[in-house]
Amino acid sequence: MIILPTKTLLSSLVVATLLTGCGDSKDTETVAEFAPVEGTIAQLHAALTAGTTSCEAVVQQYLDRIAAYDRTGPTLNSVIAVSDDALTYAREQDDALASGESMQPLQCVTVLLKDNIDTADMPTTAGGLALQYSQPEDDAYIVQRLREQGAIILGKANLDEFAFGYQGSSSVGGQVKNAYDQTKGPGGSSAGTGAAIAASFAMVGLGTDTGGSIRVPSSVEGLVGLRPSLRLVSQDGVVPLAHTQDTAGPMCRTVEDCALVMDALVGYDSASDSGQRNSYEYDASLVASAYEYQQVTGVPASYASGLSATALKGAHIGVVRALFGDGESEENQAVQAVLEAALAKMTAAGAVVEEVTIPNLDTILSTYKSVSRYEFCNDLTSYLSSWSNELDGHYTSFQEVADSLEYETRNQSTFTFYGSYCGDQSANTDYQLNLIERPIVVRGALMQALENLSEAGVSQGEPFDALVYPSILGLAPELGSTPTSGSNNRLSPFSGFPALTLPAGMADTDPALPVGIELLGREFDEQTLLNLAYGYEQVAQPRQAPTFTPAL
């Protein structure tokens, strides 16, 4: 492992014209070549098939970009570590393809993991110096799945320390900067993943989301970020913040790439800490087999193969105006303007876009809260004590980490606060309110809105395929600050329903900054969210690459 010290864009698909023949007669054919800036999985595989690049060359290109731009150049501080073995894995893949082996779904796809996801070949620090030598004994289940499908784990991404918040700073990696404007913050907590994938330091990334930690950085970095339904993706080998709300998910530059990553992430995990319960209730038993997992989740054979460029035609989309903000600030006005333009494009593409009300929304957002305060202390101890510290000497409890003071000074009060909730919380009425009542109420309200029912349960028209609203109410904040996110990001974790953020467009700022739009759907209906996002992406082409990290 290597610990990294502290407007001209190439098209991802370069077409080379080959001229053949004799005399004045010339035939032409096009051969796919791969360039890493904004490069997609499909384009990579086309180039590998054509023989115009190799996996080793591709991995080296991304390593070169990290070296050139992360701690030098714009100094994004987005990557904590790169793997010593990435180039070795790449050469092995080249040899396998040369020997006639078939292309795997994620062949040679470079992945950056938020550094709270376990790898057996690199420490998992959660951004805290207290865990800088913490070496898990095996890969997280989702990392194992990625590797099985041919992905190459390029390294670990910086994050807001211990996934606590949205500033995007850690004692291991420093302050992450926004790829579009280095005077701006990256959001969080999956800050490094967001900035790194936006700047094309890898093809795709993984983040984790307890409240909004995939979707907030995806919004300010112009990415597609999916918080899957709870229970769909295994939590095994992920440093917890709150086990009843946590989930990992993909962060990508295109919808198709996120769908391909989701194809790898889903699947039954027999581990005791998978979180794959057979019902949404917090105390439901874990599914006992791959068959039961499939019966509960209804995972399709492939999210990627189900994508349709015409998915918006005939779609019914519910606009939650109550989540758009008051329009008093210039930032919120800019966000609203971009979203209005996006809704107009959806309508032009054939979608039926209508306003919808989520019943008791104000009460939901004011009454209920994240359960991280009640779960982090106990969950961190459970995680750290899950393997022996005989070889790596890692701390094995929350209290040891808290007492070490080996983390950012700003988080001392956070550890004190979380430490006040260590031990048995079964008698804590507020915790029980959020464990038991909250999911029932929020799921009921969202389903009433999605099904387009009145308070009396009477149909008011065709059900909605998804609800839409701004991912956050503002733009990327000043560096060292947290974004004006609002409460929109709470609906997905409070219910367990999936939510997907994608670029709606760019705000009229200098430099231009991304604005995200969030789609929320029914439990385990990731396919619909991906389809709608893909349809919008094909119509609007909303993503623009940052200008500060061009091709080398």
Side-chain angles (χ1 to χ4, degrees):
M1 183 190 74
I2 301 172
I3 298 291
L4 296 177
T6 305
K7 136 175 182 190
T8 304
L9 299 175
L10 291 181
S11 167
S12 300
L13 186 62
V14 178
V15 178
T17 304
L18 304 181
L19 303 179
T20 60
C22 57
D24 294 329
S25 175
K26 295 181 180 179
D27 297 320
T28 64
E29 61 176 309
T30 58
V31 176
E33 294 185 359
F34 182 77
V37 176
E38 299 292 293
T40 69
I41 295 173
Q43 293 163 357
L44 168 66
H45 287 179
L48 289 172
T49 300
T52 58
T53 192
S54 67
C55 188
E56 181 180 0
V58 168
V59 169
Q60 188 63 60
Q61 286 176 311
Y62 284 113
L63 293 174
D64 289 345
R65 290 185 59 76
I66 292 171
Y69 292 130
D70 201 53
R71 297 283 166 152
T72 56
T75 60
L76 294 185
N77 295 343
S78 65
V79 179
I80 282 178
V82 293
S83 169
D84 278 341
D85 300 318
L87 286 170
T88 299
Y89 294 145
R91 295 183 193 107
E92 291 173 354
Q93 289 201 12
D94 286 332
D95 291 342
L97 286 179
S99 68
E101 291 189 15
S102 58
M103 188 85 68
Q104 295 175 288
L106 296 180
Q107 186 89 33
C108 194
V109 173
T110 52
V111 182
L112 280 169
L113 306 173
K114 184 178 183 180
D115 197 18
N116 62 348
I117 300 173
D118 285 356
T119 50
D121 56 353
M122 288 177 281
T124 299
T125 72
L129 285 172
L131 301 184
Q132 63 182 312
Y133 303 119
S134 180
Q135 179 58 68
E137 295 178 333
D138 55 14
D139 288 337
Y141 177 79
I142 52 178
V143 174
Q144 175 189 332
R145 292 276 297 172
L146 290 169
R147 293 194 203 269
E148 287 172 352
Q149 296 206 17
I152 292 179
I153 307 304
L154 196 63
K156 296 293 197 78
N158 201 358
L159 65 155
D160 196 88
E161 197 170 56
F162 290 96
F164 283 160
Y166 297 135
Q167 179 177 320
S169 176
S170 78
S171 57
V172 174
Q175 173 66 60
V176 182
K177 299 177 185 177
N178 192 290
Y180 289 84
D181 182 346
Q182 285 76 67
T183 69
K184 304 292 185 182
S189 61
S190 307
T193 308
I197 303 307
S200 294
F201 293 166
M203 299 194 69
V204 297
L206 290 193
T208 62
D209 192 310
T210 305
S213 292
I214 286 174
R215 294 161 292 145
V216 171
S218 292
S219 177
V220 301
E221 298 284 6
L223 299 178
V224 180
L226 174 61
R227 177 191 163 92
S229 303
L230 280 176
R231 306 184 285 134
L232 182 63
V233 174
S234 172
Q235 293 171 227
D236 167 64
V238 178
V239 181
L241 183 58
H243 73 273
T244 58
Q245 284 182 206
D246 293 342
T247 183
M251 299 170 68
C252 317
R253 292 185 295 271
T254 70
V255 176
E256 183 179 41
D257 283 1
C258 270
L260 287 164
V261 173
M262 277 300 296
D263 284 344
L265 298 184
V266 297
Y268 167 65
D269 180 12
S270 61
S272 60
D273 55 357
S274 70
Q276 294 178 332
R277 304 184 301 278
N278 60 25
S279 182
Y280 73 85
E281 292 89 357
Y282 79 97
D283 56 354
S285 60
L286 297 176
V287 296
S289 65
Y291 174 79
E292 188 178 359
Y293 171 86
Q294 182 63 37
Q295 291 299 109
V296 169
T297 64
V299 172
S302 169
Y303 294 107
S305 64
L307 297 178
S308 169
T310 59
L312 286 175
K313 188 174 183 180
H316 197 200
I317 296 174
V319 181
V320 187
R321 291 286 177 194
L323 296 175
F324 272 55
D326 56 21
E328 292 184 1
S329 70
E330 290 186 9
E331 279 197 6
N332 187 231
Q333 291 171 15
V335 168
Q336 291 193 24
V338 173
L339 257 71
E340 293 300 338
L343 295 175
K345 291 174 183 175
M346 291 180 181
T347 302
V352 177
V353 178
E354 297 178 336
E355 294 190 20
V356 63
T357 299
I358 298 174
N360 302 313
L361 181 60
D362 288 342
T363 301
I364 286 171
L365 296 179
S366 61
T367 300
Y368 303 116
K369 59 173 68 78
S370 171
V371 296
S372 58
R373 69 188 65 190
Y374 309 117
E375 296 183 352
F376 178 65
C377 174
N378 296 330
D379 288 352
L380 184 64
T381 294
S382 178
Y383 165 80
L384 292 173
S385 61
S386 66
W387 80 95
S388 171
N389 69 345
E390 188 172 321
L391 294 179
D392 63 2
H394 74 273
Y395 295 128
T396 58
S397 71
F398 167 90
Q399 200 58 56
E400 288 179 348
V401 173
D403 291 345
S404 76
L405 299 180
E406 296 174 75
Y407 42 81
E408 290 192 319
T409 302
R410 69 186 177 101
N411 284 326
Q412 290 181 11
S413 60
T414 306
F415 270 97
T416 299
F417 175 70
Y418 283 138
S420 67
Y421 293 102
C422 293
D424 183 10
Q425 297 294 308
S426 60
N428 187 312
T429 56
D430 192 56
Y431 182 35
Q432 298 306 311
L433 173 77
N434 286 281
L435 274 182
I436 300 169
E437 178 182 304
R438 188 190 74 186
I440 296 172
V441 172
V442 180
R443 290 164 70 93
L446 292 178
M447 284 306 297
Q448 183 177 325
L450 284 162
E451 293 299 319
N452 203 5
L453 302 176
S454 69
E455 290 186 14
V458 177
S459 173
Q460 302 177 118
E462 289 295 316
F464 293 101
D465 296 303
L467 308 180
V468 302
Y469 43 84
S471 303
I472 61 174
L473 299 181
L475 303 172
E478 293 303 310
L479 196 63
S481 302
T482 60
T484 306
S485 58
S487 301
N488 301 2
N489 53 338
R490 298 181 184 180
L491 293 177
S492 176
F494 281 10
S495 63
F497 289 4
L500 181 150
T501 289
L502 76 155
M506 304 293 287
D508 187 16
T509 53
D510 185 19
L513 296 174
V515 173
I517 185 170
E518 184 158 307
L519 305 171
L520 183 141
R522 294 166 178 80
E523 188 175 40
F524 303 128
D525 196 15
E526 281 76 5
Q527 185 72 73
T528 293
L529 298 185
L530 289 163
N531 281 348
L532 294 175
Y534 185 71
Y536 179 73
E537 181 184 70
Q538 299 306 299
V539 169
Q541 298 293 311
R543 175 171 165 79
Q544 294 182 23
T547 59
F548 297 98
T549 51
L552 294 176

